[in-house]
Amino acid sequence: MSTPESERPPERELRSGDGWVTTGDGRRFWGLEGAAGLMLLDPRRGVLLQHRALWSAQGGTWGFPGGARDIGEDAISAALRESHEEAGVPEAASDIEILATHVLDLEVWSYTTVIARTRRPVEAKVNDPESLEVRWVPIDELDDYPLHPGVASALPELLALLNDHS
């Protein structure tokens, strides 16, 4: 029995930070140097969510565009690069204002959520096979989506940080 095409990762060259990290309790996380994602707010349209490809970790859930940090890459650069690769978000500082960061630190692996606001309208689009869909979602509707478990658990803190900068 073969795996359907939609459930297989595409063939691509590995980046320097690609690979699995295993925590002491056996959990596996993608990104040898950790990972980062972008929680991007458009004040008129809401937060940009990515519907994750079925073959990806926690596939089929909704989260923020993001992924593994390259070796030597800081979290903000990684979040901007990944959101550009996956959702067509511009990487230019003139388009996005960085507001804050939130770090989940598991000692051997970390995930940094970069919280930002658009400076001008950003037309996000599916830009690679890691995204089934990208969509602007009003903040009060975020709980209506089957969120990636990491996003769901951090969402109250992330929204509080966002509100601190509104």
Tab-separated table of all heavy atoms in Angstrom, residues 18-51:
chain	number	residue	atom	x	y	z
A	18	ASP	N	18.049	21.572	9.317
A	18	ASP	CA	17.040	20.526	9.189
A	18	ASP	C	17.476	19.255	9.911
A	18	ASP	O	18.615	18.800	9.756
A	18	ASP	CB	16.764	20.205	7.720
A	18	ASP	CG	15.933	21.272	7.030
A	18	ASP	OD1	15.423	22.179	7.706
A	18	ASP	OD2	15.788	21.187	5.792
A	19	GLY	N	16.573	18.707	10.678
A	19	GLY	CA	16.815	17.464	11.386
A	19	GLY	C	15.996	17.432	12.663
A	19	GLY	O	15.486	18.454	13.117
A	20	TRP	N	15.857	16.235	13.223
A	20	TRP	CA	15.054	16.038	14.427
A	20	TRP	C	15.911	16.145	15.670
A	20	TRP	O	17.056	15.705	15.694
A	20	TRP	CB	14.384	14.667	14.405
A	20	TRP	CG	13.323	14.554	13.354
A	20	TRP	CD1	13.440	13.956	12.134
A	20	TRP	CD2	11.994	15.051	13.429
A	20	TRP	NE1	12.263	14.059	11.443
A	20	TRP	CE2	11.351	14.728	12.216
A	20	TRP	CE3	11.275	15.745	14.399
A	20	TRP	CZ2	10.036	15.062	11.950
A	20	TRP	CZ3	9.960	16.088	14.138
A	20	TRP	CH2	9.347	15.741	12.916
A	21	VAL	N	15.321	16.713	16.719
A	21	VAL	CA	15.920	16.762	18.049
A	21	VAL	C	14.976	15.993	18.968
A	21	VAL	O	13.761	16.170	18.903
A	21	VAL	CB	16.078	18.220	18.536
A	21	VAL	CG1	16.505	18.270	19.989
A	21	VAL	CG2	17.045	18.979	17.644
A	22	THR	N	15.538	15.146	19.811
A	22	THR	CA	14.735	14.361	20.741
A	22	THR	C	15.004	14.848	22.162
A	22	THR	O	16.165	14.946	22.581
A	22	THR	CB	15.063	12.858	20.626
A	22	THR	OG1	14.877	12.458	19.262
A	22	THR	CG2	14.166	12.032	21.524
A	23	THR	N	13.936	15.142	22.881
A	23	THR	CA	14.067	15.580	24.274
A	23	THR	C	14.269	14.357	25.170
A	23	THR	O	14.068	13.211	24.742
A	23	THR	CB	12.823	16.359	24.733
A	23	THR	OG1	11.678	15.506	24.623
A	23	THR	CG2	12.615	17.611	23.894
A	24	GLY	N	14.642	14.583	26.415
A	24	GLY	CA	14.885	13.509	27.366
A	24	GLY	C	13.684	12.605	27.577
A	24	GLY	O	13.840	11.420	27.905
A	25	ASP	N	12.480	13.149	27.379
A	25	ASP	CA	11.275	12.330	27.567
A	25	ASP	C	10.789	11.689	26.260
A	25	ASP	O	9.689	11.144	26.198
A	25	ASP	CB	10.158	13.145	28.217
A	25	ASP	CG	9.741	14.355	27.391
A	25	ASP	OD1	10.276	14.553	26.275
A	25	ASP	OD2	8.888	15.122	27.862
A	26	GLY	N	11.630	11.757	25.215
A	26	GLY	CA	11.326	11.062	23.968
A	26	GLY	C	10.532	11.846	22.940
A	26	GLY	O	10.258	11.336	21.857
A	27	ARG	N	10.164	13.101	23.239
A	27	ARG	CA	9.447	13.898	22.235
A	27	ARG	C	10.427	14.351	21.164
A	27	ARG	O	11.577	14.642	21.442
A	27	ARG	CB	8.770	15.107	22.886
A	27	ARG	CG	7.649	14.708	23.826
A	27	ARG	CD	6.982	15.920	24.457
A	27	ARG	NE	7.959	16.599	25.317
A	27	ARG	CZ	7.831	17.839	25.751
A	27	ARG	NH1	6.786	18.568	25.402
A	27	ARG	NH2	8.736	18.374	26.539
A	28	ARG	N	9.930	14.421	19.914
A	28	ARG	CA	10.761	14.834	18.779
A	28	ARG	C	10.282	16.170	18.238
A	28	ARG	O	9.087	16.390	18.086
A	28	ARG	CB	10.708	13.775	17.677
A	28	ARG	CG	11.332	12.461	18.103
A	28	ARG	CD	11.225	11.416	17.030
A	28	ARG	NE	12.007	11.865	15.864
A	28	ARG	CZ	11.784	11.447	14.628
A	28	ARG	NH1	10.826	10.605	14.366
A	28	ARG	NH2	12.529	11.886	13.643
A	29	PHE	N	11.261	17.032	17.935
A	29	PHE	CA	10.965	18.351	17.389
A	29	PHE	C	11.888	18.615	16.211
A	29	PHE	O	13.066	18.235	16.228
A	29	PHE	CB	11.164	19.442	18.454
A	29	PHE	CG	10.225	19.305	19.624
A	29	PHE	CD1	10.590	18.588	20.746
A	29	PHE	CD2	8.967	19.880	19.581
A	29	PHE	CE1	9.732	18.453	21.814
A	29	PHE	CE2	8.087	19.749	20.644
A	29	PHE	CZ	8.475	19.031	21.766
A	30	TRP	N	11.352	19.310	15.198
A	30	TRP	CA	12.094	19.601	13.980
A	30	TRP	C	12.930	20.856	14.165
A	30	TRP	O	12.435	21.878	14.618
A	30	TRP	CB	11.135	19.788	12.808
A	30	TRP	CG	11.816	19.972	11.495
A	30	TRP	CD1	11.908	21.123	10.767
A	30	TRP	CD2	12.503	18.975	10.749
A	30	TRP	NE1	12.605	20.898	9.605
A	30	TRP	CE2	12.991	19.575	9.567
A	30	TRP	CE3	12.766	17.622	10.958
A	30	TRP	CZ2	13.712	18.889	8.604
A	30	TRP	CZ3	13.487	16.930	9.992
A	30	TRP	CH2	13.943	17.563	8.834
A	31	GLY	N	14.224	20.755	13.802
A	31	GLY	CA	15.121	21.898	13.822
A	31	GLY	C	16.305	21.666	14.738
A	31	GLY	O	16.164	21.749	15.957
A	32	LEU	N	17.468	21.376	14.178
A	32	LEU	CA	18.662	21.110	14.971
A	32	LEU	C	19.054	22.305	15.830
A	32	LEU	O	19.632	22.137	16.904
A	32	LEU	CB	19.827	20.724	14.054
A	32	LEU	CG	19.612	19.474	13.197
A	32	LEU	CD1	20.784	19.280	12.239
A	32	LEU	CD2	19.395	18.251	14.072
A	33	GLU	N	18.737	23.514	15.368
A	33	GLU	CA	19.047	24.748	16.093
A	33	GLU	C	17.792	25.362	16.703
A	33	GLU	O	17.787	26.532	17.075
A	33	GLU	CB	19.684	25.764	15.136
A	33	GLU	CG	21.003	25.324	14.559
A	33	GLU	CD	22.110	25.340	15.592
A	33	GLU	OE1	22.267	26.369	16.283
A	33	GLU	OE2	22.816	24.322	15.711
A	34	GLY	N	16.727	24.592	16.770
A	34	GLY	CA	15.442	25.118	17.208
A	34	GLY	C	14.648	25.580	15.996
A	34	GLY	O	15.034	25.353	14.844
A	35	ALA	N	13.532	26.207	16.258
A	35	ALA	CA	12.661	26.658	15.179
A	35	ALA	C	12.052	28.011	15.551
A	35	ALA	O	12.139	28.449	16.704
A	35	ALA	CB	11.562	25.625	14.929
A	36	ALA	N	11.449	28.650	14.557
A	36	ALA	CA	10.825	29.963	14.776
A	36	ALA	C	9.656	30.126	13.818
A	36	ALA	O	9.640	29.547	12.730
A	36	ALA	CB	11.843	31.078	14.556
A	37	GLY	N	8.681	30.906	14.243
A	37	GLY	CA	7.524	31.201	13.408
A	37	GLY	C	7.089	32.637	13.589
A	37	GLY	O	7.482	33.306	14.546
A	38	LEU	N	6.253	33.100	12.675
A	38	LEU	CA	5.809	34.490	12.666
A	38	LEU	C	4.320	34.588	12.930
A	38	LEU	O	3.507	34.079	12.150
A	38	LEU	CB	6.126	35.128	11.308
A	38	LEU	CG	5.788	36.607	11.168
A	38	LEU	CD1	6.689	37.458	12.060
A	38	LEU	CD2	5.921	37.050	9.708
A	39	MET	N	3.963	35.214	14.043
A	39	MET	CA	2.570	35.559	14.343
A	39	MET	C	2.382	36.982	13.816
A	39	MET	O	2.767	37.949	14.463
A	39	MET	CB	2.301	35.506	15.847
A	39	MET	CG	0.883	35.880	16.205
A	39	MET	SD	0.698	35.888	18.020
A	39	MET	CE	-1.067	36.123	18.134
A	40	LEU	N	1.811	37.089	12.627
A	40	LEU	CA	1.694	38.378	11.945
A	40	LEU	C	0.266	38.890	12.032
A	40	LEU	O	-0.675	38.209	11.623
A	40	LEU	CB	2.115	38.225	10.481
A	40	LEU	CG	2.121	39.495	9.643
A	40	LEU	CD1	3.087	40.541	10.221
A	40	LEU	CD2	2.491	39.170	8.195
A	41	LEU	N	0.124	40.089	12.566
A	41	LEU	CA	-1.181	40.733	12.704
A	41	LEU	C	-1.348	41.808	11.648
A	41	LEU	O	-0.490	42.681	11.500
A	41	LEU	CB	-1.322	41.370	14.093
A	41	LEU	CG	-2.562	42.244	14.286
A	41	LEU	CD1	-3.823	41.390	14.366
A	41	LEU	CD2	-2.424	43.118	15.518
A	42	ASP	N	-2.455	41.752	10.950
A	42	ASP	CA	-2.925	42.860	10.126
A	42	ASP	C	-4.093	43.434	10.920
A	42	ASP	O	-5.091	42.736	11.137
A	42	ASP	CB	-3.398	42.370	8.760
A	42	ASP	CG	-3.936	43.497	7.892
A	42	ASP	OD1	-4.725	44.327	8.396
A	42	ASP	OD2	-3.594	43.538	6.705
A	43	PRO	N	-3.986	44.666	11.418
A	43	PRO	CA	-5.032	45.200	12.293
A	43	PRO	C	-6.443	45.145	11.704
A	43	PRO	O	-7.417	45.066	12.443
A	43	PRO	CB	-4.596	46.647	12.528
A	43	PRO	CG	-3.109	46.619	12.342
A	43	PRO	CD	-2.878	45.607	11.250
A	44	ARG	N	-6.565	45.130	10.375
A	44	ARG	CA	-7.892	45.084	9.754
A	44	ARG	C	-8.384	43.671	9.484
A	44	ARG	O	-9.583	43.423	9.477
A	44	ARG	CB	-7.888	45.874	8.442
A	44	ARG	CG	-7.933	47.386	8.710
A	44	ARG	CD	-7.890	48.191	7.441
A	44	ARG	NE	-6.549	48.798	7.424
A	44	ARG	CZ	-5.686	48.697	6.435
A	44	ARG	NH1	-5.988	48.065	5.352
A	44	ARG	NH2	-4.508	49.264	6.537
A	45	ARG	N	-7.462	42.724	9.245
A	45	ARG	CA	-7.870	41.376	8.837
A	45	ARG	C	-7.631	40.296	9.880
A	45	ARG	O	-8.195	39.217	9.785
A	45	ARG	CB	-7.162	40.987	7.544
A	45	ARG	CG	-7.542	41.901	6.378
A	45	ARG	CD	-6.899	41.463	5.100
A	45	ARG	NE	-5.476	41.796	5.133
A	45	ARG	CZ	-4.610	41.487	4.183
A	45	ARG	NH1	-5.001	40.804	3.125
A	45	ARG	NH2	-3.339	41.833	4.274
A	46	GLY	N	-6.787	40.543	10.845
A	46	GLY	CA	-6.512	39.540	11.864
A	46	GLY	C	-5.118	38.976	11.764
A	46	GLY	O	-4.187	39.643	11.312
A	47	VAL	N	-4.963	37.727	12.197
A	47	VAL	CA	-3.671	37.046	12.262
A	47	VAL	C	-3.549	36.077	11.088
A	47	VAL	O	-4.507	35.389	10.740
A	47	VAL	CB	-3.546	36.284	13.607
A	47	VAL	CG1	-2.285	35.450	13.653
A	47	VAL	CG2	-3.578	37.264	14.779
A	48	LEU	N	-2.357	36.015	10.516
A	48	LEU	CA	-2.107	35.108	9.401
A	48	LEU	C	-1.896	33.691	9.936
A	48	LEU	O	-1.017	33.451	10.762
A	48	LEU	CB	-0.873	35.551	8.615
A	48	LEU	CG	-0.538	34.698	7.389
A	48	LEU	CD1	-1.651	34.778	6.348
A	48	LEU	CD2	0.795	35.121	6.807
A	49	LEU	N	-2.740	32.761	9.466
A	49	LEU	CA	-2.585	31.350	9.807
A	49	LEU	C	-2.251	30.543	8.564
A	49	LEU	O	-2.684	30.874	7.461
A	49	LEU	CB	-3.872	30.785	10.422
A	49	LEU	CG	-4.246	31.216	11.830
A	49	LEU	CD1	-5.478	30.441	12.303
A	49	LEU	CD2	-3.098	31.026	12.811
A	50	GLN	N	-1.495	29.482	8.791
A	50	GLN	CA	-1.102	28.539	7.751
A	50	GLN	C	-1.757	27.199	8.062
A	50	GLN	O	-1.635	26.690	9.179
A	50	GLN	CB	0.419	28.381	7.757
A	50	GLN	CG	0.923	27.257	6.887
A	50	GLN	CD	2.310	26.794	7.310
A	50	GLN	OE1	2.640	26.725	8.483
A	50	GLN	NE2	3.135	26.481	6.327
A	51	HIS	N	-2.438	26.621	7.078
A	51	HIS	CA	-2.961	25.269	7.198
A	51	HIS	C	-1.830	24.339	6.784
A	51	HIS	O	-1.435	24.308	5.620
A	51	HIS	CB	-4.193	25.097	6.310
A	51	HIS	CG	-4.972	23.877	6.598
A	51	HIS	ND1	-6.007	23.466	5.795
A	51	HIS	CD2	-4.893	22.954	7.587
A	51	HIS	CE1	-6.527	22.359	6.283
A	51	HIS	NE2	-5.862	22.021	7.371
